[in-house]
Amino acid sequence: MKGIIFTEFMDLVEEKFGLEILDKVLQDAEDNGVYTSVGSYDHRDLVKLIVQLSQETGVSVEDLQKVFGQSVFQKLYARLPENASLLECKNCFQFIRLVEDYIHIEVRKLYAEANPPKFVFISESQSELVFDYHSARCMSHVCLGLVEGCAAHFNQSVSVEMVPQSEDQKHVRFQVALMETQ
């Protein structure tokens, strides 16, 4: 997993819970907290930090992952190259489709060892997008947060249903429906 995910996670923990909590989480997880945004790290280290933060704060692991996904969307979006086709997207469905067709392909080109999640699109209409999320990392709630962060970026309200397709949640179906805005 790319280090930017780790550095953004630690920034979020410090921002939302304070430096004291971040230090305690790192200490209790026996993690030195030294990550660079361009480095590659074992995703299990991030999972360990999330679990430790959950134990420290009483916030569920799923909720922490979701909030992280919502928060990190804007930061990752801001890092897109100026010529990225993603910047021309007009809505969240268009952007989500290009994550698989652009971001994940570029990540694989830049980092041969990278193993980003895979999105398999099932159906799409004006008001609903259904796709399957496949990831060995089992972090579907981060994906949920990213989808919600994406919708917020495009000023759209969405309802997201997650339906596990495997017991270990390596395969989850997302049904994203646009909500009417008043």
XYZ file of all heavy atoms in Angstrom, residues 29-120:
744
model
N 0.417 0.130 19.125
C 0.508 -0.727 17.936
C 1.951 -1.140 17.653
O 2.213 -1.875 16.697
C -0.078 -0.011 16.724
N 2.884 -0.638 18.472
C 4.316 -0.895 18.278
C 4.752 -0.509 16.874
O 5.415 -1.262 16.160
C 4.647 -2.354 18.600
C 4.338 -2.729 20.029
C 4.579 -4.192 20.346
O 4.865 -4.982 19.414
O 4.485 -4.539 21.533
N 4.356 0.705 16.493
C 4.633 1.251 15.164
C 5.433 2.537 15.353
O 5.044 3.401 16.134
C 3.300 1.548 14.466
C 3.447 1.908 13.013
O 4.247 2.817 12.698
O 2.747 1.305 12.179
N 6.524 2.671 14.615
C 7.345 3.871 14.781
C 6.742 5.089 14.089
O 7.189 6.217 14.302
C 8.785 3.634 14.317
C 8.899 3.339 12.840
O 7.967 3.557 12.066
N 10.047 2.824 12.426
N 5.740 4.889 13.234
C 5.056 6.012 12.595
C 5.860 6.701 11.512
O 5.504 7.787 11.072
N 6.932 6.078 11.049
C 7.771 6.695 10.028
C 7.353 6.159 8.657
O 7.631 5.010 8.311
C 9.273 6.412 10.289
C 10.133 7.017 9.185
C 9.671 6.954 11.649
N 6.642 7.011 7.916
C 6.174 6.663 6.575
C 6.437 7.837 5.654
O 6.355 8.985 6.069
C 4.657 6.364 6.583
C 4.280 5.202 7.470
C 3.761 5.407 8.743
C 4.454 3.900 7.031
C 3.423 4.335 9.559
C 4.119 2.823 7.834
C 3.600 3.050 9.103
O 3.276 1.989 9.901
N 6.759 7.530 4.409
C 6.865 8.579 3.397
C 5.720 8.381 2.412
O 5.264 7.252 2.203
C 8.207 8.519 2.632
O 8.264 7.293 1.900
C 9.384 8.618 3.592
N 5.273 9.444 1.812
C 4.117 9.345 0.912
C 4.406 8.483 -0.309
O 3.493 7.899 -0.879
C 3.638 10.732 0.495
O 4.646 11.414 -0.195
N 5.667 8.364 -0.714
C 5.996 7.588 -1.911
C 6.454 6.163 -1.594
O 6.628 5.357 -2.503
C 7.077 8.294 -2.765
C 6.548 9.592 -3.328
C 8.355 8.510 -1.979
N 6.634 5.849 -0.312
C 7.061 4.508 0.065
C 5.931 3.496 -0.107
O 4.772 3.862 -0.316
N 6.269 2.236 -0.003
C 5.281 1.151 -0.044
C 5.362 0.399 1.269
O 6.452 0.073 1.745
C 5.566 0.187 -1.199
O 5.343 0.826 -2.425
N 4.181 0.115 1.834
C 4.114 -0.506 3.153
C 3.047 -1.589 3.167
O 2.127 -1.582 2.356
C 3.815 0.552 4.222
C 4.804 1.690 4.180
C 4.503 2.861 3.484
C 6.042 1.595 4.795
C 5.418 3.911 3.411
C 6.969 2.634 4.726
C 6.643 3.795 4.030
O 7.558 4.808 3.960
N 3.159 -2.474 4.134
C 2.204 -3.567 4.294
C 0.876 -2.997 4.792
O 0.838 -2.300 5.813
C 2.766 -4.576 5.300
C 1.963 -5.866 5.363
O 0.724 -5.814 5.185
O 2.573 -6.913 5.603
N -0.193 -3.300 4.091
C -1.510 -2.771 4.469
C -1.937 -3.243 5.861
O -2.719 -2.583 6.528
C -2.565 -3.166 3.426
C -3.044 -4.570 3.552
N -2.350 -5.648 3.045
C -4.142 -5.079 4.155
C -3.002 -6.762 3.312
N -4.096 -6.448 3.992
N -1.384 -4.365 6.311
C -1.733 -4.874 7.648
C -1.286 -3.909 8.741
O -1.883 -3.874 9.818
C -1.151 -6.270 7.861
C -1.887 -7.315 7.004
C -1.240 -8.649 7.123
N 0.044 -8.591 6.412
C 0.562 -9.583 5.722
N -0.045 -10.734 5.661
N 1.710 -9.450 5.100
N -0.250 -3.115 8.453
C 0.180 -2.110 9.432
C -0.888 -1.025 9.584
O -1.136 -0.552 10.697
C 1.519 -1.490 9.018
C 2.667 -2.489 9.099
O 2.558 -3.478 9.854
O 3.670 -2.281 8.391
N -1.519 -0.647 8.484
C -2.598 0.339 8.565
C -3.795 -0.245 9.296
O -4.404 0.420 10.140
C -3.008 0.822 7.171
C -4.119 1.873 7.138
C -3.694 3.149 7.857
C -4.512 2.191 5.701
N -4.121 -1.483 9.007
C -5.234 -2.154 9.692
C -4.960 -2.173 11.191
O -5.849 -1.879 12.005
C -5.452 -3.575 9.135
C -6.448 -4.346 9.999
C -5.919 -3.517 7.687
N -3.750 -2.495 11.571
C -3.373 -2.530 12.984
C -3.573 -1.157 13.626
O -4.076 -1.062 14.758
C -1.911 -2.989 13.103
C -1.460 -3.327 14.493
C -0.049 -3.893 14.432
C 0.471 -4.236 15.805
N 1.850 -4.743 15.755
N -3.190 -0.100 12.933
C -3.364 1.257 13.458
C -4.846 1.610 13.603
O -5.254 2.216 14.594
C -2.663 2.275 12.550
C -1.140 2.233 12.533
C -0.581 3.158 11.459
C -0.569 2.581 13.905
N -5.646 1.212 12.627
C -7.087 1.492 12.685
C -7.720 0.740 13.857
O -8.523 1.314 14.602
C -7.769 1.137 11.352
C -7.300 2.087 10.246
C -9.291 1.186 11.485
C -7.713 1.671 8.844
N -7.359 -0.514 14.030
C -7.898 -1.310 15.140
C -7.480 -0.685 16.472
O -8.292 -0.547 17.396
C -7.440 -2.782 15.036
C -7.737 -3.549 16.313
C -8.095 -3.450 13.832
N -6.234 -0.260 16.565
C -5.746 0.360 17.799
C -6.481 1.671 18.072
O -6.862 1.957 19.210
C -4.236 0.602 17.691
C -3.564 0.810 19.014
C -3.701 -0.400 19.923
O -3.428 -1.527 19.543
N -4.146 -0.173 21.140
N -6.716 2.468 17.029
C -7.455 3.722 17.184
C -8.882 3.438 17.639
O -9.425 4.153 18.495
C -7.459 4.516 15.872
C -8.204 5.848 15.903
C -7.593 6.805 16.929
C -8.202 6.475 14.511
N -9.481 2.389 17.114
C -10.825 2.001 17.516
C -10.858 1.659 19.005
O -11.754 2.090 19.739
C -11.317 0.811 16.681
O -12.572 0.367 17.140
N -9.874 0.904 19.447
C -9.804 0.531 20.866
C -9.605 1.758 21.748
O -10.171 1.854 22.832
C -8.683 -0.484 21.090
C -8.978 -1.835 20.481
C -7.810 -2.804 20.556
O -6.715 -2.459 20.986
N -8.040 -4.035 20.123
N -8.827 2.688 21.274
C -8.524 3.903 22.059
C -9.713 4.854 22.122
O -9.947 5.489 23.152
C -7.306 4.610 21.432
C -6.801 5.791 22.211
C -6.244 5.428 23.582
O -5.678 4.333 23.758
O -6.398 6.265 24.494
N -10.480 4.951 21.037
C -11.547 5.962 20.952
C -12.947 5.403 21.158
O -13.878 6.167 21.404
C -11.518 6.656 19.579
O -11.785 5.678 18.557
C -10.180 7.347 19.330
N -13.106 4.090 20.996
C -14.436 3.500 21.085
C -15.249 3.646 19.804
O -16.402 3.240 19.747
N -14.654 4.203 18.770
C -15.310 4.329 17.466
C -15.052 3.035 16.698
O -13.920 2.536 16.688
C -14.763 5.553 16.679
C -15.414 5.661 15.314
C -14.943 6.838 17.475
N -16.088 2.489 16.052
C -15.926 1.211 15.356
C -14.894 1.307 14.232
O -14.685 2.375 13.647
C -17.263 0.732 14.782
O -17.608 1.486 13.638
N -14.264 0.177 13.951
C -13.284 0.093 12.864
C -13.929 0.516 11.548
O -13.335 1.254 10.758
C -12.704 -1.341 12.773
C -11.906 -1.540 11.498
C -11.861 -1.652 14.001
N -15.166 0.075 11.313
C -15.867 0.408 10.063
C -16.103 1.915 9.949
O -15.903 2.501 8.879
C -17.198 -0.342 9.976
C -17.059 -1.852 9.851
C -16.794 -2.569 11.180
O -16.888 -1.947 12.257
O -16.479 -3.765 11.122
N -16.528 2.536 11.050
C -16.758 3.982 11.023
C -15.455 4.756 10.817
O -15.429 5.752 10.100
C -17.458 4.459 12.298
C -18.940 4.112 12.319
O -19.500 3.752 11.261
O -19.541 4.202 13.414
N -14.387 4.299 11.449
C -13.088 4.962 11.256
C -12.637 4.856 9.805
O -12.137 5.826 9.229
C -12.040 4.360 12.193
C -12.203 4.685 13.677
C -11.236 3.852 14.516
C -12.001 6.169 13.939
N -12.807 3.674 9.195
C -12.434 3.508 7.792
C -13.262 4.433 6.898
O -12.734 5.061 5.981
C -12.646 2.058 7.351
C -11.627 1.091 7.877
C -11.854 -0.302 7.314
O -12.231 -0.471 6.160
N -11.614 -1.303 8.123
N -14.552 4.507 7.176
C -15.445 5.342 6.362
C -15.052 6.819 6.461
O -14.931 7.503 5.434
C -16.887 5.127 6.828
C -17.906 5.920 6.051
C -19.300 5.568 6.527
C -20.104 6.813 6.710
N -21.470 6.576 7.114
N -14.833 7.299 7.673
C -14.439 8.698 7.862
C -13.101 8.969 7.178
O -12.911 10.014 6.543
C -14.378 9.056 9.367
C -13.695 10.387 9.595
C -15.785 9.067 9.953
N -12.193 8.006 7.270
C -10.904 8.157 6.596
C -11.104 8.278 5.085
O -10.534 9.151 4.442
C -9.983 6.986 6.935
C -8.684 7.021 6.178
C -7.803 8.084 6.323
C -8.344 6.002 5.317
C -6.614 8.131 5.615
C -7.158 6.030 4.614
C -6.287 7.097 4.759
N -11.928 7.404 4.511
C -12.200 7.468 3.075
C -12.793 8.803 2.659
O -12.389 9.394 1.653
N -13.747 9.313 3.440
C -14.370 10.609 3.137
C -13.319 11.714 3.147
O -13.287 12.564 2.258
C -15.458 10.932 4.168
C -16.668 10.048 4.079
C -17.567 10.177 5.305
O -17.152 10.633 6.364
N -18.803 9.744 5.154
N -12.478 11.690 4.150
C -11.465 12.734 4.323
C -10.380 12.679 3.254
O -9.977 13.699 2.704
C -10.828 12.586 5.706
O -9.694 13.387 5.831
N -9.917 11.474 2.969
C -8.778 11.344 2.067
C -9.161 11.619 0.607
O -8.306 11.945 -0.202
C -8.093 9.964 2.248
C -8.817 8.861 1.512
C -6.638 10.021 1.828
N -10.459 11.526 0.276
C -10.851 11.769 -1.113
C -10.363 13.138 -1.583
O -9.736 13.250 -2.640
C -12.373 11.674 -1.326
C -12.757 12.003 -2.739
C -12.712 11.021 -3.716
C -13.097 13.294 -3.122
C -13.001 11.323 -5.034
C -13.398 13.604 -4.444
C -13.353 12.613 -5.399
N -10.669 14.187 -0.809
C -10.293 15.544 -1.224
C -8.782 15.699 -1.353
O -8.296 16.365 -2.261
C -10.840 16.583 -0.235
C -12.327 16.764 -0.307
C -12.815 17.253 -1.677
O -12.084 17.792 -2.496
N -14.087 17.038 -1.934
N -8.050 15.064 -0.456
C -6.595 15.190 -0.493
C -6.008 14.470 -1.707
O -5.089 14.973 -2.345
C -5.998 14.689 0.804
C -6.451 15.579 1.952
C -5.824 15.256 3.252
C -6.396 16.251 4.256
N -5.835 16.178 5.527
N -6.553 13.317 -2.026
C -6.079 12.595 -3.208
C -6.504 13.331 -4.485
O -5.739 13.411 -5.449
C -6.596 11.158 -3.207
C -6.064 10.260 -2.086
C -6.745 8.895 -2.131
C -4.557 10.111 -2.167
N -7.718 13.870 -4.484
C -8.211 14.624 -5.643
C -7.292 15.818 -5.916
O -6.953 16.096 -7.070
C -9.651 15.086 -5.408
C -10.294 15.706 -6.629
C -10.964 14.906 -7.543
C -10.220 17.071 -6.875
C -11.550 15.453 -8.675
C -10.798 17.625 -8.004
C -11.464 16.816 -8.896
O -12.040 17.364 -10.026
N -6.877 16.499 -4.866
C -6.010 17.676 -5.016
C -4.647 17.310 -5.597
O -3.967 18.155 -6.176
C -5.835 18.364 -3.667
N -4.260 16.048 -5.494
C -2.961 15.595 -6.003
C -3.003 15.123 -7.457
O -1.980 14.746 -8.008
C -2.412 14.475 -5.132
C -1.980 14.942 -3.773
C -1.548 13.743 -2.939
N -0.958 14.175 -1.698
C 0.323 14.038 -1.390
N 1.147 13.463 -2.228
N 0.773 14.449 -0.236
N -4.184 15.133 -8.059
C -4.272 14.685 -9.453
C -3.485 15.628 -10.353
O -3.513 16.848 -10.165
C -5.740 14.664 -9.915
C -6.615 13.563 -9.322
C -8.068 13.781 -9.725
C -6.135 12.185 -9.767
N -2.801 15.082 -11.346
C -2.077 15.938 -12.286
C -3.048 16.863 -13.043
O -4.200 16.497 -13.287
C -1.419 14.950 -13.266
C -1.576 13.605 -12.664
C -2.658 13.665 -11.651
N -2.582 18.031 -13.383
C -3.433 19.022 -14.055
C -4.044 18.511 -15.357
O -5.104 18.961 -15.757
C -2.631 20.302 -14.334
C -2.339 21.101 -13.094
C -1.577 22.369 -13.400
O -1.620 22.852 -14.552
O -0.924 22.876 -12.471
N -3.385 17.574 -16.006
C -3.882 17.062 -17.286
C -4.723 15.791 -17.118
O -5.122 15.174 -18.102
C -2.720 16.798 -18.245
C -1.779 15.718 -17.732
O -1.800 15.360 -16.564
N -0.928 15.222 -18.618
N -5.021 15.402 -15.896
C -5.775 14.166 -15.659
C -7.203 14.300 -16.173
O -7.889 15.292 -15.905
C -5.786 13.830 -14.173
N -7.638 13.285 -16.895
C -9.002 13.289 -17.431
C -10.041 13.312 -16.312
O -11.165 13.758 -16.507
C -9.222 12.077 -18.339
O -8.962 10.878 -17.642
N -9.657 12.858 -15.139
C -10.572 12.849 -13.994
C -11.041 14.254 -13.614
O -12.125 14.422 -13.070
C -9.890 12.216 -12.779
C -9.674 10.716 -12.863
C -8.664 10.270 -11.834
C -10.974 9.992 -12.680
N -10.218 15.241 -13.889
C -10.582 16.615 -13.542
C -11.723 17.143 -14.406
O -12.327 18.154 -14.081
C -9.361 17.537 -13.652
C -8.234 17.224 -12.670
C -7.013 18.085 -12.956
C -8.697 17.390 -11.226
N -12.030 16.440 -15.494
C -13.124 16.854 -16.379
C -14.458 16.217 -15.998
O -15.486 16.522 -16.599
C -12.766 16.500 -17.829
C -11.533 17.243 -18.321
C -11.054 16.763 -19.679
O -11.808 16.061 -20.387
O -9.900 17.091 -20.019
N -14.447 15.354 -14.998
C -15.681 14.686 -14.571
C -16.693 15.706 -14.065
O -16.335 16.676 -13.406
C -15.394 13.666 -13.474
S -14.469 12.240 -14.065
N -17.953 15.438 -14.375
C -19.040 16.334 -13.977
C -19.873 15.776 -12.831
O -20.683 16.483 -12.253
C -19.964 16.612 -15.173
C -19.255 17.172 -16.386
C -18.784 18.588 -16.128
C -18.193 19.165 -17.399
N -16.911 19.787 -17.213
N -19.710 14.482 -12.507
C -20.505 13.886 -11.435
C -19.753 12.697 -10.829
O -18.744 12.244 -11.361
C -21.890 13.464 -11.939
C -21.815 12.446 -13.048
O -21.269 11.361 -12.887
N -22.382 12.784 -14.204
N -20.285 12.221 -9.719
C -19.576 11.157 -8.997
C -19.569 9.833 -9.763
O -18.581 9.105 -9.710
C -20.117 10.987 -7.582
S -21.777 10.363 -7.440
N -20.632 9.503 -10.491
C -20.634 8.241 -11.241
C -19.520 8.227 -12.283
O -18.808 7.244 -12.450
C -21.981 8.001 -11.927
C -23.108 7.632 -11.002
C -22.940 7.532 -9.635
C -24.365 7.385 -11.519
C -23.989 7.193 -8.791
C -25.428 7.046 -10.695
C -25.241 6.941 -9.332
N -19.385 9.329 -12.979
C -18.342 9.451 -14.004
C -16.959 9.295 -13.354
O -16.101 8.585 -13.878
C -18.485 10.824 -14.677
C -17.702 11.009 -15.925
C -17.962 12.385 -16.536
O -18.306 13.345 -15.840
N -17.782 12.491 -17.833
N -16.771 9.916 -12.217
C -15.487 9.839 -11.533
C -15.203 8.411 -11.065
O -14.098 7.888 -11.258
C -15.454 10.801 -10.337
C -14.088 10.931 -9.733
C -13.219 11.916 -10.159
C -13.654 10.051 -8.753
C -11.952 12.028 -9.622
C -12.389 10.144 -8.203
C -11.534 11.140 -8.638
N -16.185 7.766 -10.436
C -15.996 6.405 -9.919
C -15.602 5.459 -11.052
O -14.713 4.625 -10.905
C -17.260 5.908 -9.188
C -17.465 6.699 -7.898
C -17.171 4.408 -8.894
C -18.833 6.515 -7.256
N -16.238 5.606 -12.212
C -15.882 4.761 -13.357
C -14.422 4.969 -13.758
O -13.717 4.017 -14.096
C -16.783 5.055 -14.544
C -18.066 4.281 -14.490
C -18.692 4.252 -15.885
N -19.680 3.226 -15.963
C -19.449 1.936 -16.172
N -18.229 1.498 -16.303
N -20.423 1.073 -16.252
N -13.967 6.210 -13.719
C -12.598 6.495 -14.146
C -11.552 6.070 -13.113
O -10.373 5.976 -13.446
C -12.436 7.968 -14.497
C -13.000 8.366 -15.860
C -12.860 9.862 -16.096
C -12.316 7.595 -16.980
N -11.966 5.828 -11.877
C -11.004 5.332 -10.886
C -10.391 4.034 -11.400
O -9.179 3.857 -11.375
C -11.676 5.131 -9.510
C -10.792 4.312 -8.584
C -12.006 6.480 -8.883
N -11.245 3.148 -11.872
C -10.744 1.867 -12.395
C -10.018 2.070 -13.725
O -8.951 1.498 -13.945
C -11.884 0.866 -12.575
C -11.441 -0.502 -13.031
C -10.533 -1.212 -12.045
O -10.668 -1.031 -10.824
O -9.663 -1.970 -12.507
N -10.584 2.873 -14.600
C -10.036 3.034 -15.948
C -8.836 3.964 -16.026
O -8.138 3.982 -17.040
C -11.121 3.553 -16.901
C -12.261 2.576 -17.060
O -12.069 1.378 -16.776
O -13.365 3.005 -17.454
N -8.593 4.759 -14.985
C -7.481 5.707 -15.034
C -6.536 5.543 -13.838
O -5.391 5.178 -13.995
C -8.002 7.150 -15.105
C -6.899 8.177 -15.118
C -6.238 8.502 -16.298
C -6.477 8.797 -13.944
C -5.206 9.421 -16.309
C -5.449 9.722 -13.943
C -4.812 10.029 -15.118
O -3.785 10.936 -15.117
N -7.050 5.791 -12.630
C -6.173 5.798 -11.453
C -5.520 4.442 -11.233
O -4.294 4.350 -11.081
C -6.937 6.234 -10.185
C -7.334 7.704 -10.306
C -6.084 6.022 -8.930
C -8.165 8.229 -9.154
N -6.306 3.378 -11.218
C -5.728 2.063 -10.930
C -4.737 1.632 -12.019
O -3.717 1.015 -11.720
C -6.826 1.019 -10.732
C -7.610 1.239 -9.469
N -8.805 0.620 -9.225
C -7.368 2.016 -8.375
C -9.257 1.003 -8.028
N -8.407 1.852 -7.509
N -4.994 2.000 -13.258
C -4.059 1.681 -14.346
C -2.763 2.461 -14.167
O -1.662 1.913 -14.300
C -4.708 1.967 -15.724
C -5.795 0.927 -15.990
C -3.653 1.979 -16.832
C -6.648 1.215 -17.215
N -2.881 3.762 -13.854
C -1.683 4.591 -13.653
C -0.861 4.103 -12.464
O 0.364 4.090 -12.519
C -2.075 6.066 -13.473
C -2.620 6.711 -14.736
C -1.639 6.682 -15.895
O -0.439 7.001 -15.701
O -2.054 6.329 -17.023
N -1.544 3.718 -11.388
C -0.837 3.206 -10.210
C -0.038 1.963 -10.587
O 1.132 1.821 -10.206
C -1.829 2.902 -9.057
C -1.173 2.081 -7.960
C -2.382 4.202 -8.484
N -0.648 1.065 -11.359
C 0.061 -0.158 -11.770
C 1.251 0.151 -12.681
O 2.271 -0.539 -12.632
C -0.894 -1.113 -12.479
C -1.839 -1.820 -11.539
C -2.702 -2.849 -12.290
N -3.842 -3.228 -11.510
C -5.072 -2.736 -11.651
N -5.330 -1.840 -12.585
N -6.051 -3.139 -10.882
N 1.119 1.186 -13.525
C 2.238 1.577 -14.394
C 3.400 2.123 -13.571
O 4.562 1.817 -13.828
C 1.792 2.671 -15.382
C 0.988 2.191 -16.545
C 0.695 3.391 -17.439
C -0.412 3.153 -18.405
N -0.764 4.375 -19.152
N 3.078 2.964 -12.588
C 4.116 3.610 -11.792
C 4.761 2.677 -10.774
O 5.941 2.807 -10.461
C 3.530 4.819 -11.049
C 3.117 6.000 -11.914
C 2.348 7.020 -11.089
C 4.345 6.647 -12.548
N 3.963 1.761 -10.235
C 4.449 0.894 -9.161
C 4.110 -0.546 -9.509
O 2.988 -1.001 -9.287
C 3.801 1.281 -7.827
C 3.932 2.754 -7.508
C 2.856 3.619 -7.691
C 5.134 3.284 -7.044
C 2.972 4.965 -7.409
C 5.258 4.632 -6.767
C 4.172 5.470 -6.946
O 4.288 6.804 -6.675
N 5.085 -1.247 -10.027
C 4.864 -2.625 -10.486
C 4.336 -3.523 -9.373
O 3.571 -4.448 -9.629
C 6.160 -3.196 -11.058
N 4.733 -3.241 -8.134
C 4.316 -4.089 -7.016
C 2.928 -3.738 -6.480
O 2.391 -4.416 -5.609
C 5.346 -4.001 -5.874
C 5.243 -2.769 -4.982
C 5.735 -1.439 -5.596
O 6.238 -1.412 -6.727
O 5.597 -0.414 -4.915
N 2.328 -2.668 -6.995
C 1.032 -2.199 -6.487
C -0.083 -3.205 -6.778
O -0.078 -3.875 -7.806
C 0.684 -0.849 -7.095
N -1.013 -3.271 -5.853
C -2.166 -4.150 -5.999
C -3.422 -3.385 -5.584
O -4.009 -3.671 -4.533
C -1.970 -5.406 -5.136
C -3.061 -6.414 -5.348
O -3.753 -6.405 -6.356
N -3.249 -7.282 -4.370
N -3.825 -2.395 -6.401
C -5.003 -1.606 -6.017
C -6.274 -2.444 -6.110
O -6.296 -3.487 -6.772
C -5.022 -0.481 -7.060
C -4.309 -1.028 -8.227
C -3.278 -1.988 -7.686
N -7.329 -1.999 -5.447
C -8.604 -2.711 -5.567
C -9.056 -2.737 -7.023
O -8.591 -1.937 -7.839
C -9.573 -1.891 -4.731
C -8.749 -0.934 -3.961
C -7.437 -0.802 -4.641
N -9.973 -3.631 -7.326
C -10.540 -3.709 -8.679
C -12.036 -3.441 -8.582
O -12.704 -3.954 -7.690
C -10.288 -5.080 -9.275
C -10.887 -5.242 -10.672
C -10.211 -6.333 -11.440
C -10.716 -6.452 -12.851
N -10.637 -5.261 -13.659
N -12.527 -2.613 -9.490
C -13.959 -2.347 -9.591
C -14.472 -3.042 -10.850
O -13.906 -2.875 -11.931
C -14.255 -0.854 -9.742
C -13.883 0.003 -8.562
C -13.966 1.379 -8.666
C -13.465 -0.528 -7.359
C -13.647 2.191 -7.599
C -13.142 0.279 -6.282
C -13.237 1.649 -6.405
N -15.531 -3.809 -10.696
C -16.201 -4.436 -11.837
C -17.602 -3.838 -11.877
O -18.388 -4.017 -10.940
C -16.264 -5.976 -11.683
C -17.044 -6.592 -12.833
C -14.867 -6.566 -11.586
